[in-house]
Amino acid sequence: MPKRNSLNSWKLRHIIRGTASWVPFLSAWRRRHARTGGTNSARYCYTVWLRHLVNLSRHGFQIKGARVGELGPGDSIGTGLAALLSGAQSYIGLDVVPFSLRHDLESIFDELVRLYSNKEPIPDDHEFPGVRPKLASYEFPDHLIDRSEFSNRINQIKTEIRRGIGSGNTVTYLAPWTSIRAIRPHSLDLIFSQSVLEYALPLEGVYTAMATWLKPEGYSSDAIDFSAMYLSPYWNGHWAYSDWEWRLVRGQREFFLNREPLSTHLACVEKAGFEILAIDKEQNASGLRDGELSPRFRKMVIEDQETKGAMIVLRRKRDAS
Ligand SMILES: C[S@@+](CC[C@H](N)C(=O)[O-])C[C@H]1O[C@@H](n2cnc3c(N)ncnc32)[C@H](O)[C@@H]1O
């Protein structure tokens, strides 16, 4: 861990990298090689989806015949394909960058089929220590999976992948999505996200869109990471950058941490018309101290300052507008 008096030197590296993103050929190279880190692995997609499913089942959600949406699938829509293999009727992935178009979906899908067919246990925290939610058991959740028409479903999805995503009614991918009209109001049973809402902007608009797309009493399941990621040696170091430093660090990147703490998310959740069914917080009292954060973030309540991650399960209120 660097000494605290080297605060400005750790920022400088990221400020230089962000500023370099304004150089056209560096920016073009970065765009071509950008990866979001995870969903190009079938095992990662399998663990993420089954963790959401097991966690949601505690609140009455059933996958059979569900229409599912995902915000920010990233490198591939494999997590959505895993949802379809567990019994969802349809899936739509919405991203701001079309990362998934670069990947070989068919091989990810084949591996997912193998994992489901063998009823492989959910890859646990030894294999994926950073993935939320954490589960009490990582056994294959056979009782939650709808196996009816399993081979027909496999053929249908495979045909759509081969003909091109969007060629049928089962799998849709929209990237970039730019409007709340991307999805018909009240048409989804579930919308989920994995490490996405910490980037979403404008945050209130995104929660409003999610609530609008859901049927009354539809579910949202979201893993949110409030940490600085690679932008600081301290987990809370992103809150130490001043606003102008942050603009330089962001540079030309298409998406970037919104730096909003838990309480801002919860205010948006309330405003959008969601009921909170569960919040599982990961607290961390280490990192930079209050006085070392930039003035804007020194005002955060202690709970925000110490929340490094959260898993939230929401239900759209029946009477939400
Ligand atoms: C850290 S990646 C996570 C990707 C994937 N969910 C995973 O678990 O690896 C964040 C993703 O969120 C996407 N993203 C950022 N803002 C978004 C928004 N407003 N709507 C949809 N996707 C968004 C990014 O393009 C990126 O694909």
Side-chain angles (χ1 to χ4, degrees):
M1 188 63 51
K3 293 201 178 100
R4 281 163 200 272
N5 62 11
S6 64
L7 196 62
N8 289 328
S9 66
W10 66 255
K11 280 185 188 171
L12 196 58
R13 190 157 61 89
H14 297 290
I15 290 174
I16 292 169
R17 284 182 68 180
T19 310
S21 70
W22 291 96
V23 179
F25 76 89
L26 290 178
S27 178
W29 185 91
R30 187 188 53 76
R31 276 168 213 256
R32 265 200 313 281
H33 293 88
R35 295 282 177 276
T36 67
T39 52
N40 53 356
S41 143
R43 286 185 70 79
Y44 175 87
C45 297
Y46 183 73
T47 198
V48 166
W49 167 250
L50 288 179
R51 286 174 191 229
H52 278 267
L53 181 62
V54 170
N55 204 42
L56 277 159
S57 71
R58 291 162 44 198
H59 304 282
F61 175 78
Q62 293 185 359
I63 192 61
K64 183 173 180 173
R67 294 179 183 275
V68 175
E70 181 184 10
L71 270 187
D75 284 337
S76 94
I77 55 167
T79 312
L81 300 178
L84 288 168
L85 286 171
S86 68
Q89 180 182 338
S90 64
Y91 164 84
I92 177 162
L94 299 178
D95 210 313
V96 290
V97 184
F99 293 110
S100 184
L101 297 180
R102 300 176 190 168
H103 277 95
D104 174 10
L105 277 183
E106 199 170 336
S107 64
I108 292 175
F109 182 67
D110 289 344
E111 176 61 8
L112 285 168
V113 170
R114 196 191 63 76
L115 291 166
Y116 271 102
S117 302
N118 294 346
K119 300 188 180 182
E120 295 255 352
I122 301 172
D124 64 14
D125 298 328
H126 292 290
E127 188 171 347
F128 292 108
V131 172
R132 295 182 183 87
K134 308 293 177 198
L135 301 178
S137 161
Y138 289 86
E139 272 172 37
F140 182 74
D142 210 10
H143 59 295
L144 301 180
I145 310 297
D146 173 31
R147 290 236 169 225
S148 55
E149 309 260 343
F150 190 58
S151 48
N152 284 350
R153 214 176 307 146
I154 292 172
N155 292 337
Q156 172 68 28
I157 299 166
K158 198 143 188 161
T159 306
E160 290 191 25
I161 291 174
R162 285 188 177 158
R163 288 195 182 143
I165 297 300
S167 60
N169 298 324
T170 314
V171 199
T172 313
Y173 179 58
L174 210 55
W177 74 280
T178 51
S179 155
I180 197 168
R181 288 189 290 277
I183 298 183
R184 221 164 13 91
H186 307 174
S187 61
L188 298 180
D189 297 286
L190 167 69
I191 182 135
F192 72 98
S193 68
Q194 184 74 19
S195 287
V196 175
L197 291 174
E198 62 267 33
Y199 298 97
L201 279 172
L203 192 57
E204 190 180 320
V206 172
Y207 277 104
T208 302
M210 290 159 65
T212 303
W213 299 332
L214 285 172
K215 296 176 185 170
E217 304 200 330
Y219 290 80
S220 180
S221 174
D222 305 284
I224 311 172
D225 190 335
F226 295 102
S227 74
M229 316 276 178
Y230 61 92
L231 294 166
S232 171
Y234 305 99
W235 81 263
N236 58 352
H238 53 324
W239 290 326
Y241 290 91
S242 67
D243 286 350
W244 72 264
E245 288 169 337
W246 193 247
R247 271 197 295 280
L248 295 176
V249 175
R250 171 172 188 155
Q252 285 273 68
R253 293 179 172 99
E254 297 83 352
F255 69 95
F256 207 52
L257 293 177
N258 55 35
R259 297 203 289 175
E260 295 297 352
L262 178 65
S263 63
T264 310
H265 286 256
L266 298 184
C268 295
V269 158
E270 171 76 22
K271 212 161 169 194
F274 282 110
E275 168 194 2
I276 298 172
L277 299 180
I279 308 184
D280 187 10
K281 287 175 258 179
E282 182 187 337
Q283 304 285 139
N284 189 324
S286 69
L288 295 175
R289 288 183 296 259
D290 193 41
E292 294 168 304
L293 303 183
S294 89
R296 177 149 85 92
F297 295 104
R298 281 179 211 158
K299 295 184 225 136
M300 287 190 297
V301 295
I302 292 291
E303 189 187 33
D304 278 347
Q305 284 193 12
E306 297 187 352
T307 303
K308 190 179 175 203
M311 180 70 215
I312 59 177
V313 181
L314 310 172
R315 187 158 53 198
R316 183 189 187 275
K317 289 180 188 159
R318 180 162 278 283
D319 55 358
S321 50

